[in-house]
């Protein structure tokens, strides 16, 4: 498994608040990739404040995103917990950690269920036409995680729960000779996920979901500081895990459910970033990253997970960087951005019981993005941002597959921000983005599950957003209608031999809906929160076997009541509702996914004070009513799970 020491990190300032407008940060120097500015109009965004990272008692980065307006979190058929923005495919949602892409480029996805939540210091979700700093493939939007900063202090938690579940985090922050230092460790474990209700197949035992064990651990270190006009931060993350993958519970053995396990997963990511203040108000930012990733996948003959049929060994090596120069130019502020990334994937497939190891195949994909944005203040309280970019993808190494032509596409965006006074603001934004197929989509067969499509091409989307926001002490209201027009959308079809094949829809698809958010203090100690999304996603008539796009719930909503009496207790109750959706079964037929709702309870009680910090007893129940929720056919969300622990902050 790859894993090496290297320097890494990031810098920058500014903190958007819950509805997305700059405000005083809750800690010094939050890291963001695309900071707001006095003349910059940004697309819709939602920030999860640090207080909510604690109140919701999340175990992983995936838990942090549950309930964010416009974001869907689910576990896919590969066992990965992924995020989708406004119903788009997870590969259209780019994930960043401290300014560097976190997803493994070969697949374009990352398992957010493996990253401990205790490591995170801030989370921002950008929707629609993302700023040019994020580079190529940010079609639906961006999930931008930042790790904890020195100013956020020390943190620790440990908890245990039902079915052998547990998690722990430790973050130590110190200033050594003017250098801010962060050391962190974390882990997540479980014997199995709880099962809320019966499944037709793939479930030989009662309340424990088959093959859903997990053990994951991580180490993190960061150094940061300032030297004159230069600010810098370097960080290194190493993560190791092993886990099972639940078989699809809606299909019998002859329909080919996945009997897979991941005995080894390892990811090491180093990031280095610097910001240099130049003359005449200019700023130069440079970010570099290096990622090593490796995994083994075992395919078994039956649900007994005893007879190994095949094994896939993957190794990935990625290097990339970004340069952004911002400077005034008369009445304008110009922002030049260039990013490049090269990723090499090596793969060995072995058949069992007696087959020899296959050839070591090497694939490579290079991404390049060049862009320019211009900001202008048109009138007091009115700001305009226009941007354009050129993106390119090429695959110079294609293993044993035929060569693939390079792809190139343009991108454009526009944003108009209007201060309406009395705490109200309106932002109109839109643009066009392109996502290139990943190397896995072009060349991967997933141990025989997929048939390749040599004609697979990029997918593109046009966006339009209107975000109205009203903020006053104790109250935030946000309403954001949107429309997305997709072209050449990547979809899957089931072939006569049972394999799946990716293809571009010959026409297009249209999605429209509304994101909404309300946060209101009912009193000095009680706060009500509501975030919701309504969505309608349809393919053009005649362009797909079914017009309704699969795995897109018609609505998602989270309502929460938080009662906090400092020094005594903090109680939180949440209700998350999910609307009906559809999916495609093993025969390629459309099946209904019913609407459902789940209840979660949280409690924290201070038990001791240690200097400036406190020790809390924490208690939580997830899915209190043991509701059965299907984000995907045959793959339900976990049932009821209780947790109890200690937190120090």
């Amino acid at each position: 498994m790859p894993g090496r020491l290297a320097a890494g990190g990031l810098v920058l300032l500014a903190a958007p608040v819950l509805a997305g407008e700059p405000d005083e940060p809750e800690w010094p120097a939050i890291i963001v990739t695309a900071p707001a500015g006095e003349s910059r109009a940004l697309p819709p965004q939602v920030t999860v404040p640090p207080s909510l990272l604690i109140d919701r008692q999340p175990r992983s980065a995936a838990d942090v995103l549950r309930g964010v307006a416009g974001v869907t979190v689910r576990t896919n058929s590969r066992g990965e917990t992924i995020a989708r923005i406004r119903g788009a495919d997870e590969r259209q949602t780019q994930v960043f950690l401290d300014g560097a892409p976190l997803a493994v480029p070969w697949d374009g996805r990352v398992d957010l269920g493996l990253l401990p939540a205790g490591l995170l210091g801030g989370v921002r979700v950008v929707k629609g036409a993302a700023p040019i700093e994020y580079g190529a493939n940010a079609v639906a939007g961006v999930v931008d995680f930042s790790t904890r900063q020195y100013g956020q202090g020390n943190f620790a938690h440990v908890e245990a729960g039902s079915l052998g579940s547990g998690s722990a985090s430790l973050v130590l922050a110190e200033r050594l000779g003017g250098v801010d230092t962060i050391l962190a460790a974390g882990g997540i474990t479980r014997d199995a996920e709880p099962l809320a209700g019966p499944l037709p197949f793939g479930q030989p035992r009662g309340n424990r979901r088959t093959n859903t064990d997990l053990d994951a651990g991580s180490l993190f270190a960061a150094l940061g500081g300032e030297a004159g006009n230069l600010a810098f931060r370097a960080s290194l993350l190493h993560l190791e895990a092993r886990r099972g993958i639940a078989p699809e519970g809606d299909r019998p053995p002859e329909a080919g459910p996945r009997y897979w396990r991941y005995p080894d997963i390892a990811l090491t990511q180093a990031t280095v970033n610097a910001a240099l203040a130049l003359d005449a108000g200019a700023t130069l930012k440079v970010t570099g990253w290096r990622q090593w990733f490796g995994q083994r996948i075992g395919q078994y003959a039956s649900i007994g997970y005893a007879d190994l049929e095949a094994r896939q060994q993957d190794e990935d090596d990625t290097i990339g960087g970004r340069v952004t120069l911002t400077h005034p130019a008369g009445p304008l502020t110009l922002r030049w951005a260039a990013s490049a990334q090269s990723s090499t994937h090596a793969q060995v497939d072995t058949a069992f019981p007696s087959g020899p190891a296959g050839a070591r195949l090497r694939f490579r994909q290079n991404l390049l993005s060049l862009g320019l944005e211009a900001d202008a203040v048109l009138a007091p309280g009115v700001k305009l941002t226009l941007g354009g970019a050129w993106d390119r993808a090429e695959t110079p190494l294609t293993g044993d597959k035929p060569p693939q032509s390079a792809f190139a596409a343009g991108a454009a965006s526009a944003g108009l921000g209007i201060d309406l006074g009395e705490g109200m603001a309106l932002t109109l934004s839109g643009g066009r983005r392109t996502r290139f197929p990943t190397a896995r989509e072009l060349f991967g067969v997933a141990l025989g599950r997929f048939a390749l499509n040599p004609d697979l091409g990029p997918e593109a989307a046009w966006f339009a957003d209107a975000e109205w926001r009203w903020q006053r002490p104790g109250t935030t209201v946000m309403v954001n209608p949107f429309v997305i027009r997709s072209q050449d959308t990547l979809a899957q079809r089931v072939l006569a031999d049972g394999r799946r094949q990716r293809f571009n829809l010959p026409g297009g698809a249209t999605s429209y809906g509304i994101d909404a958010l309300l946060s209101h203090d009912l009193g000095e100690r009680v706060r009500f929160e509501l975030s919701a999304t309504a969505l309608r996603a349809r393919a053009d008539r005649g362009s797909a076997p079914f017009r309704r796009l699969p795995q897109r719930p018609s609505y998602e909503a989270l309502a929460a009541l938080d009662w906090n009496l400092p020094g005594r207790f903090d109680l939180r109750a949440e209700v998350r509702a999910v609307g009906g959706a559809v999916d495609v079964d093993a025969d390629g037929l459309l099946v209904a996914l019913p609407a459902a709702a789940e209840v979660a309870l949280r409690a924290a009680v201070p038990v001791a004070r240690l200097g400036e910090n406190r020790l809390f007893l924490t208690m939580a129940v997830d899915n209190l009513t043991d509701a059965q929720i299907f984000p995907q056919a045959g793959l339900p969300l976990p049932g009821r799970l209780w947790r109890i622990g200690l937190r120090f902050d």
Side-chain angles (χ1 to χ4, degrees):
M1 288 286 112
R4 313 173 193 177
L5 290 178
L10 203 179
V11 249
L12 227 104
L13 9 151
V17 297
L18 194 61
E21 190 68 7
D23 198 1
E24 287 298 318
E26 296 191 34
W27 65 89
I30 182 175
I31 297 169
V32 294
T33 303
E38 294 182 0
S39 60
R40 191 176 194 183
L42 290 169
Q45 52 191 284
V46 176
T47 295
V48 180
S51 58
L52 204 56
L53 289 176
I54 293 176
D55 284 354
R56 296 195 62 192
Q57 298 183 25
R59 293 157 293 178
S60 69
D63 293 338
V64 171
L65 297 174
R66 298 184 194 277
V68 174
V71 179
T72 298
V73 178
R74 67 178 183 88
T75 301
N76 62 20
S77 60
R78 293 172 61 89
E80 301 160 328
T81 307
I82 49 85
R84 287 180 161 188
I85 293 179
R86 293 172 172 172
D89 183 86
E90 57 264 28
R91 292 186 179 96
Q92 295 184 356
T93 300
Q94 296 294 292
V95 179
F96 287 75
L97 179 69
D98 284 352
L102 188 60
V104 180
W106 161 254
D107 194 22
R109 296 186 290 200
V110 62
D111 188 350
L112 298 176
L114 303 181
L115 188 66
L119 178 63
L120 302 179
V123 182
R124 183 171 63 151
V125 177
V126 181
K127 296 174 281 188
I132 59 172
E133 289 100 318
Y134 292 109
N137 291 335
V139 174
V142 171
V143 175
D144 202 350
F145 293 114
S146 57
T147 53
R148 288 180 68 92
Q149 306 292 304
Y150 165 76
Q152 292 175 280
N154 299 324
F155 174 83
H157 100 280
V158 61
E159 65 174 14
S162 51
L163 299 185
S165 65
S167 65
S169 293
L170 173 64
V171 182
L172 301 177
E174 288 291 337
R175 177 163 287 164
L176 303 175
V179 176
D180 295 342
T181 304
I182 300 287
L183 295 175
I188 303 172
T189 187
R190 64 172 181 258
D191 294 338
E193 288 183 344
L195 182 68
L199 292 173
F201 307 101
Q203 192 56 42
R205 298 183 63 182
N207 67 339
R208 293 171 175 247
R209 184 72 178 101
T210 301
N211 200 42
T212 54
D213 58 298
L214 167 68
D215 289 294
S218 66
L219 295 172
F220 177 82
L223 298 172
E226 297 181 0
N229 293 332
L230 175 68
F232 65 90
R233 191 171 191 251
S235 67
L236 179 69
L237 169 69
H238 180 71
L239 186 152
E240 293 188 3
R242 62 176 182 267
R243 60 173 169 80
I245 303 173
E248 296 92 338
D250 64 331
R251 55 199 66 182
E254 59 269 20
R258 297 187 181 192
Y259 300 123
W260 285 11
R261 288 190 60 81
Y262 285 83
D264 293 295
I265 302 172
L267 182 148
T268 301
Q269 181 148 319
T271 311
V272 60
N273 214 342
L276 179 63
L278 304 174
D279 294 335
T283 302
L284 177 68
K285 296 187 292 180
V286 180
T287 306
W289 58 88
R290 186 76 181 269
Q291 182 192 85
W292 298 272
F293 177 78
Q295 66 180 8
R296 282 192 296 143
I297 308 175
Q299 178 179 338
Y300 293 83
S302 69
I303 202 168
Y305 295 93
D307 301 320
L308 192 63
E309 281 190 330
R311 183 178 65 202
Q312 178 178 314
Q313 179 99 25
D314 298 329
E315 292 183 2
D316 293 79
D317 188 348
T318 302
I319 186 168
R322 178 193 314 113
V323 177
T324 305
L325 174 64
T326 303
H327 65 91
L332 304 178
T333 297
L334 298 183
R335 189 175 307 101
W336 307 80
S339 61
Q341 177 176 276
S342 181
S343 182
T344 302
H345 172 82
Q347 179 174 318
V348 177
D349 293 340
T350 305
F352 287 89
S354 58
R360 189 173 188 267
L361 304 177
R362 296 176 73 241
F363 305 84
R364 179 173 296 153
Q365 185 175 58
N366 300 329
L367 294 176
L368 175 66
S369 180
L370 304 173
L372 170 64
E373 280 187 347
D375 307 331
V377 177
L378 304 182
V382 181
K383 53 189 178 181
L384 173 69
T385 295
L386 300 176
W390 178 79
D391 302 330
R392 176 183 168 87
E394 61 178 11
T395 51
L397 295 179
T398 60
D400 59 346
K401 309 300 189 296
Q404 173 75 49
S405 299
F407 300 119
S413 60
L416 179 67
I418 306 172
D419 185 350
L420 302 175
E422 298 183 358
M424 290 187 291
L426 175 67
T427 302
L428 306 176
S429 63
R432 183 185 190 274
R433 292 289 185 270
T434 299
R435 184 184 78 85
F436 304 117
T438 65
R440 178 174 179 262
E441 290 173 305
L442 291 170
F443 310 116
V445 297
L447 296 177
R449 182 179 176 88
F450 277 89
L452 298 185
N453 181 356
D455 298 322
L456 201 66
E459 53 187 0
W462 290 88
F463 307 91
D465 280 276
E467 182 191 62
W468 176 82
R469 184 181 64 258
W470 178 50
Q471 289 181 278
R472 56 178 297 178
T475 302
T476 297
V477 181
M478 183 274 291
V479 179
N480 174 204
F482 62 87
V483 61
I484 306 170
R485 175 62 184 169
S486 302
Q487 296 173 316
D488 299 319
T489 302
L490 266 64
Q492 294 184 18
R493 55 193 170 202
V494 179
L495 304 180
D497 61 4
R499 291 184 299 167
R500 300 194 173 201
Q501 186 182 55
R502 298 180 178 91
F503 72 104
N504 296 93
L505 292 178
T510 301
S511 302
Y512 61 85
I514 187 168
D515 295 336
L517 181 147
L518 168 64
S519 177
H520 180 61
D521 292 342
L522 301 178
E524 289 188 13
R525 305 301 181 192
V526 182
R527 183 177 70 251
F528 174 74
E529 301 167 9
L530 175 66
S531 61
T533 296
L535 177 69
R536 186 182 190 275
R538 298 291 187 272
D540 291 352
R541 195 175 302 277
S543 67
F546 309 101
R547 289 203 64 200
R548 186 172 182 182
L549 299 184
Q551 301 176 18
R552 273 79 167 175
S554 57
Y555 65 85
E556 292 192 66
L558 175 73
L561 197 63
D562 196 292
W563 183 19
N564 184 9
L565 288 181
R568 297 178 61 184
F569 59 77
D570 187 354
L571 304 179
R572 182 178 177 85
E574 299 178 345
V575 178
R576 191 175 75 91
V578 181
V582 297
D583 201 1
V584 179
D585 66 10
D587 298 321
L589 302 177
L590 205 65
V591 295
L593 305 177
E598 61 177 330
V599 177
L601 301 177
R602 307 282 186 262
V605 179
V607 294
R609 178 179 288 277
L610 303 173
E612 296 181 355
N613 299 309
R614 285 189 173 183
L615 183 67
F616 293 83
L617 174 67
T618 62
M619 294 158 282
V621 181
D622 303 311
N623 197 356
L624 176 66
T625 61
D626 215 21
Q628 195 171 42
I629 302 175
F630 285 93
Q632 185 171 340
L635 295 170
L637 292 179
R640 184 190 303 114
L641 177 73
W642 60 263
R643 301 179 274 144
I644 187 168
L646 293 172
R647 186 182 79 227
F648 173 83
D649 61 22

